[in-house]
Amino acid sequence: MAASSLHELSIEQASAQIAERRLSPAEYLQAFRARAARLEPKLHAFTRPLWDEAEQSARRAEAEIVRSGPRSVLHGIPIGLKDIFDLANHPTTCHSKILLENVAKDDAASTAKLRAAGAVFPGKLATHEFAFGGPAFDLPFPPARNPWDLTRHPGGSSSGSGAAVAANMLPAALGSDTGGSVRHPAFACGGIVGMKPTYGLVSRRGVFPLAFSLDHVGSLTRTVTDNALLLNVLAGHDPLDPASADRPAEDFTRDLEGGLKGLRIGFVRHFHEVDMVASPDVAASLNAAAEVFAREGAIVRDVKLPSAIELAAANRIVLLSEAASVHEHWLRDRPGDYSHMTRQRMIPGLLLSATDYIQAQRRRKQLVDEISAVLREVDVLLVASSLDQPCRIDDEPELTRTHGRQMRAPFNLSGHPALGIMCGLSSDKMPLGLQLVGAPFSESLLYRAARAYERATHWHTLRPPLDELAPA
């Protein structure tokens, strides 16, 4: 393959070539570096590029592979980190003025696992401030742009991770997901896969918290297989994370080619048809996806979950209460150092009472039990993600209107694994996506269903028309 096309290789493909010594990690990294040099001035996906440091790591990886073979499928593979993940000796800024000088002493647990597997780190990636307020224009770094249309919202808060992977500036990136922040960029940026694993499957240690009982670590990749390969490395018990699940290791790629025949899929149609009405383009893409699953052998039927409105309300109270506990001292002492949007979204958490929080947690348990009961009757849920195509990034009223028009937050509340994948294009040629949700620790099954959908459709092959984009 020509050097100019190496950035198109998936992790699976590049890893095989690296192991066979037909591709060097340094060459693979350079392909992304060259692409980023051309596109990053438009996309603003990076808060801190680390290409020189990554190149040194890639050359060390190459020497080690020549000497003793690869440590893992990620040896020499470049992976970006949302700028709330600690990377030793580099700032973790959370895209905020408040933490510009916050230099990490150690790697986050997930960073350390990737490093041990041989991955290299080309940079820290843009986020909404503290993974919550954005996109905002009154911060030390500009907001990341959507590679499909520079004027559109790329999804948040893992916006830089989604933009970098969708634009082929990186083959994979880590993100966090508290109300849908890995799955949202997978919807808005198109052609990529975003996985929020079961709560506790991946350690959150060293990741700046937003809401302790809702935070998940996830990943964005260009293919389902690559996402499963990444989770193979990231998953595992961490005794220093109090919410970490003590689970035996497993291979999340084991059922990838198992297909859909006989799989029971519950279509949560009422979320986007009754509880909150989706745009016609979103609704049509979901109906078409359900037809694909049925055509490929799945048994698709409608199911009913608790009201999306009630699920969102409980999630919001928990999120705001827990976020306020993290930010109370800065909100009182340094409110002007937050962006306008972060401050506007965060301050209501200070007004909630302990009673509000406890009542929301009590109702949370009942809502989770209701979702779990449905998942005993079906294997996978097919659910809407966002209900509208991405809006303009500078249209604050529209950003505010569409902020809560999404169906991702219910599964942060419940902790169930949820995977986002592209399922269509809107009438104005913007990406659309769906979610697949499973019972706790059913990630392998979700990957199997998503891989079957990937094989049966062409959406994952689409790339944003970057050469047609005008400079920002």
Side-chain angles (χ1 to χ4, degrees):
M1 178 177 278
S4 60
S5 301
L6 289 177
H7 64 272
E8 297 176 4
L9 291 174
S10 67
I11 292 174
E12 180 187 25
Q13 293 166 332
S15 179
Q17 293 192 24
I18 288 170
E20 295 165 1
R21 300 181 192 174
R22 293 189 290 116
L23 173 67
S24 80
E27 288 174 326
Y28 190 48
L29 178 75
Q30 183 56 41
F32 293 108
R33 184 174 191 170
R35 189 163 176 83
R38 183 168 68 88
L39 298 177
E40 173 58 13
K42 302 176 183 180
L43 293 174
H44 307 305
F46 288 77
T47 58
R48 187 177 182 84
L50 298 169
W51 294 107
D52 289 343
E53 184 175 309
E55 184 171 344
Q56 294 173 11
S57 297
R59 295 196 181 282
R60 287 195 296 270
E62 181 177 356
E64 183 180 341
I65 290 166
V66 168
R67 186 170 60 250
S68 54
R71 300 184 208 169
S72 78
V73 295
L74 298 184
H75 202 171
I77 300 295
I79 297 175
L81 301 173
K82 181 178 180 176
D83 198 8
I84 66 170
F85 286 75
D86 283 349
L87 178 66
N89 303 315
H90 292 290
T92 301
T93 74
C94 299
H95 213 107
S96 179
K97 179 179 180 180
I98 291 171
L99 293 182
L100 283 177
E101 306 302 324
N102 176 43
V103 177
K105 294 180 180 179
D106 301 298
D107 286 338
S110 47
T111 309
K113 285 198 167 194
L114 293 175
R115 193 188 296 277
V120 303
F121 305 111
K124 305 294 287 293
L125 302 173
T127 175
H128 291 173
E129 187 177 27
F130 290 108
F132 192 51
F137 293 85
D138 52 347
L139 290 169
F141 311 98
R145 298 280 179 157
N146 191 317
W148 287 80
D149 180 342
L150 295 176
T151 70
R152 304 290 190 103
H153 186 15
S157 62
S158 304
S159 50
S161 297
V165 175
N168 273 3
M169 296 195 296
L170 290 173
L174 295 194
S176 64
D177 193 311
T178 305
S181 297
V182 164
R183 292 159 288 154
H184 192 188
F187 176 98
C189 291
I192 57 178
V193 179
M195 169 62 98
K196 178 196 78 68
T198 306
Y199 183 73
L201 183 63
V202 179
S203 174
R204 305 159 307 158
R205 179 167 53 88
V207 181
F208 196 92
L210 174 56
F212 303 105
S213 71
L214 302 172
D215 290 345
H216 298 64
V217 168
S219 56
L220 288 145
T221 59
R222 292 185 312 219
T223 71
V224 173
T225 300
D226 283 0
N227 208 287
L229 290 171
L230 210 57
L231 189 57
N232 279 350
V233 171
L234 294 170
H237 180 56
D238 178 2
L240 299 180
D241 177 354
S244 180
D246 193 356
R247 301 273 301 176
E250 61 178 299
D251 179 5
F252 296 102
T253 69
R254 65 181 185 274
D255 295 326
L256 276 176
E257 306 303 329
L260 291 169
K261 189 173 182 180
L263 200 68
R264 301 170 300 166
I265 294 182
F267 190 6
V268 189
R269 195 185 294 271
H270 70 90
F271 268 16
H272 67 276
E273 290 185 350
V274 178
D275 300 357
M276 295 187 209
V277 178
S279 75
D281 286 346
V282 169
S285 72
L286 292 167
N287 287 334
E291 292 173 4
V292 170
F293 283 112
R295 187 173 67 241
E296 294 297 310
I299 302 164
V300 182
R301 66 180 180 89
D302 292 357
V303 296
K304 185 170 177 54
L305 298 185
S307 161
I309 305 296
E310 187 173 10
L311 286 162
N315 184 86
R316 179 172 173 77
I317 291 171
V318 172
L319 191 159
L320 287 174
S321 299
E322 295 183 358
S325 75
V326 175
H327 288 267
E328 181 179 14
H329 59 304
W330 288 327
L331 285 170
R332 296 191 187 281
D333 297 341
R334 302 178 62 180
D337 288 338
Y338 289 95
S339 74
H340 161 73
M341 190 170 287
T342 304
R343 203 165 50 245
Q344 187 177 49
R345 290 182 181 171
M346 194 84 73
I347 284 177
L350 296 175
L351 307 179
L352 293 168
S353 68
T355 300
D356 294 326
Y357 180 70
I358 291 168
Q359 294 286 36
Q361 291 285 30
R362 290 177 65 188
R363 183 61 180 135
R364 177 185 192 175
K365 173 65 167 60
Q366 296 166 342
L367 293 168
V368 172
D369 287 347
E370 292 178 42
I371 296 173
S372 296
V374 175
L375 279 165
R376 288 192 288 272
E377 299 175 1
V378 297
D379 301 305
V380 174
L381 299 175
L382 169 59
V383 191
S385 183
S386 284
L387 302 184
D388 308 279
Q389 48 264 56
C391 66
R392 285 188 61 93
I393 193 171
D394 57 355
D395 188 343
E396 187 171 338
E398 188 65 5
L399 286 165
T400 299
R401 184 188 75 84
T402 59
H403 178 67
R405 284 178 48 77
Q406 52 96 349
M407 299 300 157
R408 296 175 291 268
F411 306 107
N412 293 92
L413 190 76
S414 71
H416 291 95
L419 180 148
I421 193 169
M422 187 176 178
C423 68
L425 285 172
S426 66
S427 55
D428 55 356
K429 305 302 181 186
M430 291 302 293
L432 303 172
L434 57 80
Q435 291 184 91
L436 298 175
V437 180
F441 307 108
S442 66
E443 283 78 6
S444 291
L445 183 61
L446 294 185
Y447 284 133
R448 171 186 156 192
R451 173 65 184 133
Y453 183 78
E454 191 179 61
R455 286 199 310 269
T457 61
H458 72 291
W459 303 118
H460 67 287
T461 68
L462 299 185
R463 295 288 176 260
L466 287 159
D467 293 334
E468 302 172 16
L469 294 179

